[in-house]
Amino acid sequence: MALPASAVRAFEPPPQPERGAPARTTCPRRHSRVEAELAASRPGSVAASVRAGPPRGVSHGFHSRPLLEKPRKASSSLAGAACAPLFALLSRGRRRRMHVLRRRWDLGSLCRALLTRGLAALGHSLKHVLGAIFSKIFGPLASVGNMDEKSNKLLLALVTLFLFAVIVLQYVCPGTECQLLRLQAFSSPVPDPYRSEDESSARFVPRYNFTRSDLLRKVDFDIKGDVLIVFLHIQKTGGTTFRRHLVRNIQLEQPCECRVGQKKCTCHRPGKRETWLFSRFSTGWSCGLHADWTELTSCVPSVVDGKRASRLRPSRWRIFQILDAASKDKRGSPNTNAGANSPSSTKARNTSKSGKNFHYITILRDPVSRYLSEWRHVQRGATWKASLHVCDGRPPTSEELPSCYTGDDWSGCPLKEFMDCPYNLANNRQVRMLSDLTLVGCYNLSVMPEKQRNKVLLESAKSNLKHMAFFGLTEFQRKTQYLFEKTFNMNFISPFTQYNTTRASSVEINEEIQKRIEGLNFLDMELYSYAKDLFLQRYQFMRQKDHQEARRKRQEQRRFLKGRLLQTHFLSQGQGQSQNLNQNQSQNPNPNANQNLTQNLTQNLVQNLTQSSSQKENRESPKQNPGKEQNDSTSNGTNDYIGSVEKWR
């Protein structure tokens, strides 16, 4: 009876190390490694056959022969004897790790094989397709050399160039917005920003008749002189954004100094310690919080004349003193002062005792959107309690101007409660802040009937708005920027942005509530319609004037180039005739022929001199009468514009 192989090995003496082999060490891992190296060095051994395979503990794959282990039979002692020495060299923990690595390697090798084969097939097909394309495009070059090598090189060059362009584009313009703008610039022409920014129709039909002086707004603003820009800020009209543009986004010889964390900036004239802008962000609320037309026209001249080099903000009692003194100068009956709002009176109020000129500017907004925006602002806790509302030298009493709420603020009030208050200053706020309240007895409603009071306030607001140096509309940001730049001859650094989504636009109201808001602000609705018509007519008038000026410059350039060409032609012709004269004198010593040539030359010179003198006279004539030429050109532009307005009607 034969014993098993394992039992025979157990009774055998331990194997002796071969000659030249290192001695057995006490470390089992090192001893197993040494025995493995010796077994691998023997020719024909099992370890030598395994060495040609994958690394230790790793198999070839799912379909490799070492993994397809067939079920062992009981009588196959030779197979067990062949595999036993290999596994005997490893410890039990290494055997476990070997099985885990086999499983992982099989899955990873399968994925890598699939990926490499797929990429190889894709590359092969792409190579054939590109080779066919290049063979058709670069057919004549096929006879010069190997087409595959040239196509590969050309393809590599194109891919490299494309990658370089992408990297440069990402470095120069990392955002997607700039890339889209560049693609649009290549694909389609750039539209007119003044037409596309506000969604208004290109064909505007005027409703009101305005004169040339009403449409042409050109202020001789000298920042080094004594001209002062006064900004009238009406609540929730976008005035904060516009004032921020004035102090941070305008090109100046001496820019405004704005410190981090402070709303107030220092806007001094070049070489002087006095400001050129009277607004919240430059001088603070020097005439009170959100001062209206009545307060500003009475307060600004006195504040500017009373300020010294320190330019300190006056205190509250000082403001009352200034307004009281100004009201005493023009004290009179509000009903009998018929010419208080005439252009001459407004011009007188636009100057101070020191001779400084004041140019008032403001921003208007759609009344419904402005009303909803103010309601949302009041909901968040705004009160404007610090507003003085000073008129005729005194603030209104509690009976003249009652409050709509009893607590500290009106936060959380619903829209219905906001509309139900009859003393709410949000109703017709734009008309009230732009009109002269002294014409209607300030806030005393018993001076005249309500209908007459509303009519006087509306006419006063329209007149003041028309005679202002500039006004803009919140719904037309780019046009507002354009008109301001043309009016004051000042340029902004970056263009204005039109925000069509605001807090007011997020409020959803039905048609009934909208009609009620329009009824509460009926004076503002009529004023906004008037202001929008005047604003768009001014814009079209200035644009047409710019087009005429550009056309005139192009004509002058053509005339200048034509004169230069004629001058060079005459000079070259004269040089040629003189050369011919010299040759004729040397060849034909005939005095009659020479005399004819000299006569021709003198005639040409006389013609050239007469033409040059006539051109000089034409150039000097506009210098002698510049006003006449300017009046003629502007009158022609005005007549063309008014004629086009009549055609539109």
Side-chain angles (χ1 to χ4, degrees):
M1 181 178 178
L3 293 175
S6 59
V8 172
R9 285 198 305 271
F11 288 101
E12 287 179 351
Q16 297 295 330
E18 297 181 1
R19 184 177 299 177
R24 182 180 179 87
T25 58
T26 56
C27 181
R29 292 186 178 181
R30 184 177 179 185
H31 177 69
S32 61
R33 186 167 62 252
V34 170
E35 288 183 354
E37 292 176 357
L38 290 174
S41 63
R42 296 171 187 171
S45 61
V46 179
S49 62
V50 175
R51 190 178 181 183
R56 189 173 65 180
V58 180
S59 64
H60 286 279
F62 278 111
H63 301 286
S64 60
R65 290 183 179 180
L67 284 180
L68 297 176
E69 297 180 356
K70 298 180 181 179
R72 299 179 182 179
K73 298 181 181 179
S75 61
S76 61
S77 59
L78 293 176
C83 296
L86 177 62
F87 287 97
L89 296 176
L90 302 176
S91 61
R92 185 175 298 175
R94 283 184 177 273
R95 293 174 189 173
R96 294 175 182 173
R97 286 195 295 272
M98 184 182 68
H99 289 295
V100 174
L101 288 174
R102 280 181 180 177
R103 296 190 188 97
R104 293 179 181 175
W105 179 262
D106 294 339
L107 184 58
S109 61
L110 178 63
C111 294
R112 281 194 294 272
L114 293 175
L115 184 60
T116 52
R117 289 180 181 178
L119 291 176
L122 181 62
H124 190 68
S125 60
L126 183 62
K127 182 179 179 181
H128 280 287
V129 172
L130 292 176
I133 294 173
F134 285 130
S135 63
K136 291 182 179 179
I137 297 175
F138 303 99
L141 296 177
S143 60
V144 179
N146 190 3
M147 186 59 199
D148 294 334
E149 295 180 358
K150 291 185 177 181
S151 61
N152 291 335
K153 291 181 181 179
L154 185 58
L155 177 62
L156 182 62
L158 291 175
V159 171
T160 307
L161 183 62
F162 176 74
L163 293 176
F164 180 74
V166 170
I167 292 171
V168 170
L169 185 62
Q170 285 293 114
Y171 179 77
V172 175
C173 182
T176 57
E177 183 179 0
C178 183
Q179 295 177 10
L180 291 175
L181 288 176
R182 290 176 184 273
L183 292 176
Q184 290 177 1
F186 281 111
S187 61
S188 60
V190 179
D192 188 1
Y194 301 107
R195 289 186 179 180
S196 60
E197 56 100 11
D198 47 36
E199 299 180 358
S200 62
S201 60
R203 188 178 180 84
F204 166 67
V205 180
R207 294 175 53 192
Y208 298 89
N209 292 323
F210 295 105
T211 61
R212 177 182 173 275
S213 60
D214 296 335
L215 298 178
L216 181 60
R217 275 290 177 267
K218 199 77 173 178
V219 176
D220 188 12
F221 179 75
D222 185 12
I223 197 171
K224 297 180 181 180
D226 295 330
V227 181
L228 186 68
I229 297 178
V230 183
F231 183 69
L232 195 158
H233 186 187
I234 303 174
Q235 289 93 318
K236 313 312 295 179
T237 57
T240 302
T241 304
F242 184 75
R243 287 187 305 181
R244 196 175 287 116
H245 281 298
L246 291 178
V247 298
R248 298 177 184 268
N249 188 29
I250 199 165
Q251 295 178 0
L252 297 173
E253 181 181 350
Q254 182 178 344
C256 299
E257 297 179 2
C258 301
R259 296 181 180 180
V260 180
Q262 295 183 0
K263 295 182 179 179
K264 189 175 176 181
C265 301
T266 304
C267 299
H268 285 163
R269 304 180 190 273
K272 298 181 181 179
R273 291 187 56 82
E274 59 181 19
T275 184
W276 57 270
L277 178 64
F278 194 93
S279 70
R280 171 193 176 187
F281 288 150
S282 57
T283 58
W285 300 112
S286 299
C287 292
L289 179 64
H290 287 286
D292 54 13
W293 172 268
T294 307
E295 294 175 292
L296 286 178
T297 52
S298 301
C299 173
V300 171
S302 303
V303 169
V304 172
D305 292 336
K307 281 188 176 182
R308 303 304 178 192
S310 59
R311 303 293 172 183
L312 297 176
R313 173 183 171 181
S315 59
R316 192 179 181 90
W317 65 271
R318 177 61 179 161
I319 293 175
F320 280 112
Q321 286 182 349
I322 292 171
L323 294 173
D324 190 18
S327 63
K328 288 179 180 178
D329 294 339
K330 62 173 186 178
R331 183 85 62 172
S333 176
N335 297 330
T336 58
N337 192 8
N341 206 39
S342 61
S344 59
S345 63
T346 56
K347 185 177 180 180
R349 272 182 284 178
N350 289 343
T351 57
S352 63
K353 295 179 181 179
S354 60
K356 292 186 177 181
N357 296 323
F358 305 115
H359 296 297
Y360 290 88
I361 62 175
T362 189
I363 300 292
L364 298 181
R365 188 180 179 183
D366 177 71
V368 177
S369 299
R370 198 214 63 82
Y371 190 84
L372 292 174
S373 181
E374 183 171 348
W375 165 64
R376 293 293 299 270
H377 198 57
V378 169
Q379 264 194 335
R380 296 191 298 271
T383 58
W384 297 297
K385 286 183 178 180
S387 298
L388 302 177
H389 303 296
V390 176
C391 178
D392 203 9
R394 65 176 183 86
T397 62
S398 58
E399 289 79 12
E400 292 176 346
L401 191 62
S403 178
C404 291
Y405 54 92
T406 56
D408 295 335
D409 54 20
W410 207 4
S411 59
C413 71
L415 181 59
K416 186 178 183 304
E417 182 180 351
F418 189 78
M419 294 188 296
D420 290 342
C421 180
Y423 311 106
N424 194 350
L425 292 177
N427 301 336
N428 297 314
R429 181 182 288 276
Q430 297 183 93
V431 170
R432 179 179 57 82
M433 293 188 69
L434 287 175
S435 60
D436 188 0
L437 296 179
T438 58
L439 300 176
V440 294
C442 298
Y443 293 92
N444 188 3
L445 303 180
S446 61
V447 173
M448 62 178 62
E450 182 180 1
K451 188 175 181 180
Q452 183 182 358
R453 176 188 175 88
N454 294 334
K455 183 179 180 180
V456 172
L457 288 176
L458 182 60
E459 293 299 326
S460 175
K462 287 182 178 180
S463 177
N464 292 333
L465 187 70
K466 184 174 65 175
H467 292 98
M468 272 186 174
F470 164 80
F471 74 90
L473 299 180
T474 308
E475 289 75 18
F476 302 92
Q477 290 290 321
R478 296 294 296 273
K479 292 182 176 64
T480 299
Q481 176 186 356
Y482 173 79
L483 287 179
F484 183 88
E485 292 176 348
K486 293 298 180 182
T487 302
F488 292 96
N489 196 18
M490 302 170 71
N491 296 323
F492 290 96
I493 300 173
S494 59
F496 290 7
T497 305
Q498 182 71 41
Y499 295 104
N500 294 322
T501 56
T502 58
R503 291 190 177 96
S505 62
S506 62
V507 180
E508 296 181 358
I509 57 174
N510 53 24
E511 188 177 357
E512 181 181 357
I513 295 178
Q514 183 173 358
K515 287 183 178 180
R516 186 179 179 187
I517 293 175
E518 291 176 357
L520 292 173
N521 298 271
F522 68 99
L523 295 178
D524 278 3
M525 294 294 295
E526 189 170 350
L527 176 66
Y528 184 77
S529 176
Y530 176 85
K532 185 177 179 181
D533 193 277
L534 177 58
F535 179 84
L536 293 178
Q537 285 199 47
R538 282 180 179 176
Y539 166 75
Q540 288 193 351
F541 179 76
M542 295 300 293
R543 291 280 284 183
Q544 188 172 0
K545 190 176 179 183
D546 286 347
H547 292 328
Q548 291 178 356
E549 187 69 18
R551 192 184 304 114
R552 186 182 62 81
K553 289 182 179 179
R554 288 195 299 268
Q555 291 176 357
E556 289 182 355
Q557 290 177 357
R558 292 194 191 99
R559 291 172 185 172
F560 177 75
L561 293 175
K562 189 175 180 180
R564 290 291 298 271
L565 290 173
L566 291 174
Q567 185 179 1
T568 54
H569 176 69
F570 288 143
L571 288 175
S572 62
Q573 188 177 5
Q575 290 177 1
Q577 289 180 358
S578 62
Q579 291 177 1
N580 294 330
L581 178 62
N582 295 330
Q583 291 177 2
N584 292 329
Q585 285 179 357
S586 61
Q587 294 176 3
N588 300 321
N590 188 3
N592 294 327
N594 295 334
Q595 188 177 2
N596 293 332
L597 289 173
T598 53
Q599 288 179 0
N600 293 331
L601 285 174
T602 53
Q603 288 178 1
N604 291 332
L605 290 174
V606 169
Q607 289 179 0
N608 293 335
L609 289 173
T610 54
Q611 288 179 0
S612 62
S613 63
S614 62
Q615 288 179 0
K616 287 181 180 179
E617 289 177 359
N618 293 331
R619 290 177 184 176
E620 290 176 357
S621 59
K623 292 182 181 179
Q624 294 175 358
N625 299 322
K628 184 178 180 180
E629 182 182 0
Q630 185 178 2
N631 293 331
D632 293 340
S633 62
T634 52
S635 62
N636 291 333
T638 309
N639 294 331
D640 294 341
Y641 178 77
I642 294 175
S644 60
V645 169
E646 295 296 333
K647 289 181 182 178
W648 289 335
R649 287 201 178 90

